[in-house]
Structures are given as structure tokens and as C-alpha cells.
């Protein structure tokens, strides 16, 4: 099968940071695995972080944790899907990724592809939708339909923020504030439904205070947490909740949260699959509901750029753009060429 691999942790500018390869097809699926023929993928910050920081010691490592494709075969214990089903998923961080023509994935973290989206559009959704959904409902503990509170989403124009804004608007009654730093990103966040959009370039405290003078109840800090941490603690109301997904570049002092009894919540979308948790199938259920909401017109796709076929050159371009920090929504690639 065709695939794109990396063999050493290199800057994306290096010609061999990502390379085209031919790999053996995966083995027949066992247990609850599905064998999926990948039609389209999208690229996420986790792809670039692993490529830069995890040296595979000369082995061919396949990255990619967002895909849409068609089930080719199912394991003997699989019951949720059958061959021929169109699916989308974000995969598992401890298994081979989606930048290959064929991939094995556990059905418990797979959902049906939204019928209203093509494969490329569908591939943009799984990882960011799951991350936003888990962070909002599982980690921060927001109740479906909850009203009266305020949610601040820091870095709202990226992939996770793009889904978080929509999910919070459609499934809760929270007042949603999104932060974005450029006119085009601010316009995108408004289009997705944020009640207020603030510019975080010169700090969050004053812009958020201007629209939420009494502070906020929940924060989703999706990027540069270390830069905004003091302001976030100041903005959070007593007994508020701070959720984050990034890796702060410098340590944050959690003692600052004590006086207000603020709680800290980590979200790592791969926890359920990495530890094979008893509720691992929850991600299947989330993706099924996301597909239903998309098909009902309640959620919109977040694909913003299509970089062509799935090959090393195009993936290098996608990684470079993500690393620049200028991406709006999601970048997708589709097909493996002739």
C-alpha cells in the first residue's frame, strides 16, 4: 500500500522530514478492529508534535489521526459496522496512522461518515469534534442545555475552537466568547456563532472584561496557555473551571487557582483508546451524534483548505502551515494518486 512516513525527527523544511513509501498491507482485522480504505485525511498539531519530538529510531512511522474512508473488512467481534460502510474517525496514538491507503482501527472509536459531507469534508471533523466534545461535557462538566453561564474559548479559530464554538452554541445555553487575533480569524469565529469575539494579541483581561464584566464560568484554553494563564485565573469566577489541551511552554503555578477554588481539567482525546477504558465506545457514540448534527444542519464542516493528494510533498506543506500558527479551520488531503 502507498503511505507517507517519517524516519527521523527533522524540521519540516528537510526534504526527508516526510517521505513517500510502499508498505505491506495491514494484517486481517481481529477482535473489534475494522480495516478501512482511507479516502481522505486532515492534519492536526499532534502530527507535527510527534514528527518533531518522537524519533522512530529508523523505522517507518505513519502519522495521521483524522480519516474518512470505507470499511473493507471487520474483525470477528465487530458489530457496529460492516464492509462497505463509509466511516470517519481520529484513530489511536499508539497505532499506525491514517496517512496510508489501508488502516486498522477499533470500531469503538469510529463513527458513520456524515452523509451530507464528502470524504474530504468529513475527514476534517473527528479529532477536533471529539476533543471539543470531551472537553466541554466530560472534563468541564457542562450539562447539555445548561444556561446562564459564560464560556471563554481561547484560540477559537483553530480546528478544536471551530468545533467548540459550534457545539457550545447548539447544545448549551452558555454565552460563548471566542478569542482570535486577525480580522479573518475573528470573522470565522463570528460565522461559527460566538456571541462575542475578542482580540487576544495584547492580552485577554481587558477585552474579556469589556464583554463579561463579571468574569466567566468556564475556559477552554486551546493554545498558549502559559501566556494567558494569569489573565484566565483573574477572569474566572470563584469555583470556575479551566480546561486545556496544549502543552504549556513554561510551567504554570496552579497555586494561583486556590483562592477561588478554580479546578483544572486536562483533555487528551487519545486517553480512552490508549488505555482501552471501559467507556471507550463513548467516542463512537459522540461521532455518531456529530454525524447526525451535521446532517441536520446544526453543525457545519470546518475544512478550509484542500492541499491535494495524500503524498509527502503536500503533507510537508500542511505541516509547515500548521507550525506557522496561521491556520484557520482544517487542512485536508484526499486520495493517493495513480
Amino acid at each position: 500500500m502507498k503511505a507517507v512516513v517519517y524516519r527521523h525527527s527533522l524540521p519540516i523544511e528537510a526534504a526527508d522530514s516526510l517521505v513517500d513509501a510502499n508498505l505491506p498491507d495491514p494484517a486481517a482485522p481481529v477482535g473489534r478492529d475494522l480495516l478501512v480504505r482511507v479516502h481522505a485525511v486532515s492534519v492536526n498539531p499532534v502530527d507535527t508534535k510527534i514528527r518533531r519530538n518522537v524519533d522512530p529510531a529508523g523505522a517507518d512511522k505513519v502519522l495521521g489521526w483524522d480519516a474518512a474512508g470505507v470499511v473493507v473488512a471487520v474483525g470477528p467481534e465487530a458489530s457496529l459496522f460492516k464492509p462497505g460502510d463509509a466511516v470517519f474517525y481520529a484513530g489511536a496514538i499508539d497505532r499506525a496512522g491514517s496517512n496510508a491507503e489501508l488502516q486498522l482501527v477499533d470500531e469503538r472509536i469510529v463513527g458513520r461518515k456524515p452523509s451530507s459531507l464528502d470524504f474530504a469534508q468529513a475527514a476534517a471533523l473527528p479529532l477536533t469534534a471529539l476533543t471539543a466534545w470531551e472537553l466541554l461535557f466530560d472534563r468541564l462538566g457542562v450539562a447539555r442545555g445548561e444556561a446562564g453561564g459564560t464560556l471563554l474559548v481561547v484560540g477559537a479559530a483553530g480546528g478544536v475552537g471551530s468545533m467548540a464554538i459550534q457545539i457550545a452554541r447548539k447544545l448549551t445555553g452558555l454565552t460563548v466568547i471566542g478569542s482570535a487575533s486577525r480580522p479573518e480569524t475573528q470573522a470565522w469565529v463570528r460565522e461559527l456563532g460566538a456571541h462575542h469575539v475578542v482580540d487576544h494579541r495584547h492580552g485577554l483581561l481587558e477585552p474579556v472584561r469589556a464583554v463579561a464584566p463579571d468574569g466567566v464560568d468556564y475556559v477552554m484554553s486551546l493554545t498558549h496557555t502559559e501566556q494567558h494563564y494569569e489573565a484566565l485565573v483573574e477572569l474566572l469566577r470563584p469555583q470556575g473551571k479551566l480546561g486545556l489541551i496544549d502543552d504549556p511552554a513554561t510551567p504554570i503555578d496552579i497555586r494561583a487557582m486556590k483562592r477561588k477554588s478554580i479546578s483544572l481539567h486536562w483533555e487528551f482525546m487519545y486517553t480512552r483508546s490508549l488505555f482501552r477504558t471501559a467507556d471507550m465506545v463513548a467516542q463512537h457514540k459522540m461521532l455518531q451524534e456529530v454525524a447526525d448534527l451535521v446532517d441536520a444542519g446544526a453543525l457545519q464542516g470546518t475544512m478550509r483548505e484542500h492541499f491535494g493528494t495524500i503524498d509527502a510533498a503536500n503533507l510537508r506543506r500542511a505541516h509547515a502551515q500548521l507550525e506557522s500558527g496561521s491556520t484557520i479551520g482544517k487542512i485536508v488531503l484526499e486520495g493517493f494518486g495513480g
Side-chain angles (χ1 to χ4, degrees):
M1 66 177 179
K2 294 180 180 178
V4 178
V5 304
Y6 86 107
R7 292 167 180 153
H8 305 282
S9 290
L10 296 170
I12 198 59
E13 295 78 17
D16 54 348
S17 57
L18 294 169
V19 297
D20 295 307
N22 286 300
L23 301 180
D25 290 354
V30 299
R32 299 189 69 173
D33 272 357
L34 310 174
L35 180 63
V36 177
R37 183 168 298 281
V38 175
H39 285 223
V41 302
S42 69
V43 185
N44 295 283
V46 64
D47 297 67
T48 72
K49 289 177 182 177
I50 291 179
R51 192 206 78 247
R52 288 177 297 177
N53 300 315
V54 182
D55 196 319
D60 283 340
K61 172 75 172 178
V62 179
L63 301 171
W65 287 282
D66 255 338
V70 174
V71 177
V72 174
V74 303
E77 298 172 24
S79 61
L80 301 175
F81 298 98
K82 64 185 185 304
D85 286 344
V87 295
F88 71 152
Y89 54 89
I93 202 167
D94 57 344
R95 303 187 71 176
S98 58
N99 295 336
E101 289 184 287
L102 294 167
Q103 183 182 14
L104 289 169
V105 60
D106 191 300
E107 68 170 357
R108 288 170 289 184
I109 57 173
V110 174
R112 72 167 185 88
K113 182 184 78 67
S115 58
S116 59
L117 301 183
D118 62 27
F119 284 103
Q121 293 167 326
L125 290 175
L127 186 147
T128 54
L130 287 169
T131 300
W133 194 289
E134 289 184 347
L135 183 54
L136 185 65
F137 296 122
D138 294 352
R139 313 301 174 225
L140 293 178
V142 174
R144 298 280 286 268
E146 181 175 334
T150 301
L151 167 69
L152 170 62
V153 181
V154 182
V160 175
S162 295
M163 292 307 301
I165 294 289
Q166 295 187 76
I167 292 169
R169 280 304 315 269
K170 297 299 182 181
L171 300 182
T172 80
L174 298 175
T175 297
V176 180
I177 304 169
S179 85
S181 61
R182 293 176 284 140
E184 59 269 33
T185 56
Q186 292 166 3
W188 173 245
V189 174
R190 288 190 186 93
E191 179 184 333
L192 295 173
H195 292 96
H196 306 284
V197 181
V198 298
D199 185 343
H200 58 237
R201 280 178 297 177
H202 304 296
L204 280 169
L205 193 58
E206 294 307 317
V208 176
R209 284 282 193 217
V211 297
D214 296 326
V216 301
D217 300 281
Y218 305 101
V219 170
M220 289 184 171
S221 184
L222 308 179
T223 184
H224 300 305
T225 295
E226 72 285 349
Q227 294 180 19
H228 303 298
Y229 178 66
E230 290 184 9
L232 296 178
V233 172
E234 181 69 22
L235 288 166
L236 276 161
R237 293 172 179 160
Q239 303 180 90
K241 297 183 178 183
L242 170 61
L244 61 155
I245 66 170
D246 63 337
D247 302 303
T250 56
I252 58 174
D253 185 357
I254 62 172
R255 294 175 297 181
M257 300 190 294
K258 180 178 180 179
R259 189 164 176 264
K260 287 185 175 178
S261 296
I262 295 169
S263 54
L264 177 68
H265 304 265
W266 281 106
E267 160 59 16
F268 188 55
M269 192 280 300
Y270 303 107
T271 296
R272 283 181 160 111
S273 58
L274 187 60
F275 294 96
R276 307 295 191 267
T277 60
D279 66 346
M280 185 172 162
V281 75
Q283 291 196 339
H284 162 72
K285 296 175 181 177
M286 292 174 204
L287 289 174
Q288 294 287 95
E289 187 164 1
V290 167
D292 291 342
L293 290 166
V294 169
D295 287 340
L299 296 178
Q300 71 178 67
T302 56
M303 181 184 84
R304 286 292 296 251
E305 296 186 83
H306 193 306
F307 271 29
T309 56
I310 306 167
D311 61 31
N314 288 336
L315 278 167
R316 284 195 295 270
R317 286 198 300 126
H319 279 229
Q321 181 158 318
L322 277 180
E323 290 176 11
S324 75
S326 62
T327 305
I328 303 173
K330 295 296 294 291
I331 300 168
V332 303
L333 302 93
E334 184 176 17
F336 286 85

